Amino acid sequence: MKPLAILGGTFDPVHIGHLNAAWEAAELLDAEVRLMPANVPPHRPPPVASAEQRVAMLRAALQGQSRLSLDTRELQREGPSYTVDTLVELRAEQGDRPLVLLLGEDAFAGLPSWHRWHELFELAHMGVLTRPGVEPTWPAGLAEAISGRLTTDPQGIRATHAGRVVLMPITPLEISATRVRELLGAGWQPRYLLPGGLLDSVALLAPYRR
């Protein structure tokens, strides 16, 4: 059974960096990867675009391929989009299928600030998207929690449904949604920072135009 990997975020807007990370993770893990937009992100300001607008952008960005898909369950829940609640729901649906929560290095380093973060290891593996050739370092509390869980073998997670932390070097693309919003607000057309599908309709990027 192929693992199921989840890449969460506000996707405000979705950009090439998001898609490249998801695609390379799918290749490394030989997994299905779902992009999961958050409703109310606990650790950052509310999105500029509405839930409906972000879903429309994601649908446009994901067209023409079958490996990456969209999961909107967090948009259908009230209140903060706590990852632990999402993983509890997915675990109930997926049984013993390996689940992988994909996180960038910075997000993973901040894991101890997350709601019920210790429970995440019981529900899924952690796929940490790292910079090639750079050895990541973690805060002491997190380093202790992941001692004995670390692996650099993406295929090794198939033996269990949860509990490992796999380091996954991916091509670094230093693109931020903040910068994309700034460019759009200034009237620019950041064609090579955004997936082509977002540029097919003026309405898709309207939330960021001034």
Side-chain angles (χ1 to χ4, degrees):
M1 185 184 299
K2 285 191 175 187
L4 170 61
I6 301 300
L7 180 64
T10 52
F11 303 109
D12 188 33
V14 59
H15 56 66
I16 292 296
H18 297 132
L19 298 181
N20 179 72
W23 189 267
E24 290 196 15
E27 295 278 302
L28 284 166
L29 296 166
D30 189 23
E32 173 193 352
V33 176
R34 297 183 189 175
L35 277 66
M36 188 174 292
N39 182 24
V40 182
H43 300 283
R44 61 179 63 189
V48 173
S50 69
E52 293 78 11
Q53 289 167 328
R54 288 181 290 131
V55 166
M57 286 185 278
L58 281 160
R59 291 196 192 284
L62 295 174
Q63 63 186 351
Q65 56 78 46
S66 59
R67 191 154 204 178
L68 309 181
S69 60
L70 173 63
D71 189 320
T72 61
R73 73 183 63 225
E74 290 191 347
L75 299 177
Q76 296 159 18
R77 289 203 311 260
E78 297 293 330
S81 299
Y82 290 126
T83 300
V84 66
D85 295 332
T86 299
L87 292 180
V88 165
E89 194 174 295
L90 281 169
R91 176 55 62 205
E93 292 175 6
Q94 300 293 328
D96 289 334
R97 183 181 187 183
L99 298 179
V100 186
L101 177 63
L102 300 174
L103 295 169
E105 281 184 50
D106 293 343
F108 185 71
L111 201 67
S113 68
W114 289 30
H115 181 60
R116 293 162 53 194
W117 70 280
H118 282 287
E119 296 178 39
L120 300 177
F121 298 106
E122 301 168 14
L123 296 164
H125 302 294
M126 303 288 137
V128 185
L129 308 176
T130 63
R131 298 170 180 85
V134 178
E135 187 72 23
T137 58
W138 318 115
L142 179 60
E144 182 179 354
I146 65 176
S147 176
R149 298 183 185 275
L150 281 171
T151 179
T152 56
D153 178 15
Q155 299 305 312
I157 65 166
R158 292 171 178 263
T160 57
H161 69 274
R164 306 303 301 275
V165 176
V166 57
L167 303 182
M168 300 167 52
I170 64 165
T171 305
L173 297 179
E174 300 297 330
I175 303 171
S176 77
T178 300
R179 178 58 175 161
V180 172
R181 291 195 299 270
E182 289 173 352
L183 293 172
L184 289 167
W188 291 31
Q189 190 84 327
R191 175 169 293 277
Y192 298 109
L193 302 182
L194 294 170
L198 267 65
L199 301 168
D200 293 340
S201 169
V202 173
L204 286 174
L205 295 172
Y208 312 111
R209 299 290 191 190
R210 290 178 190 154

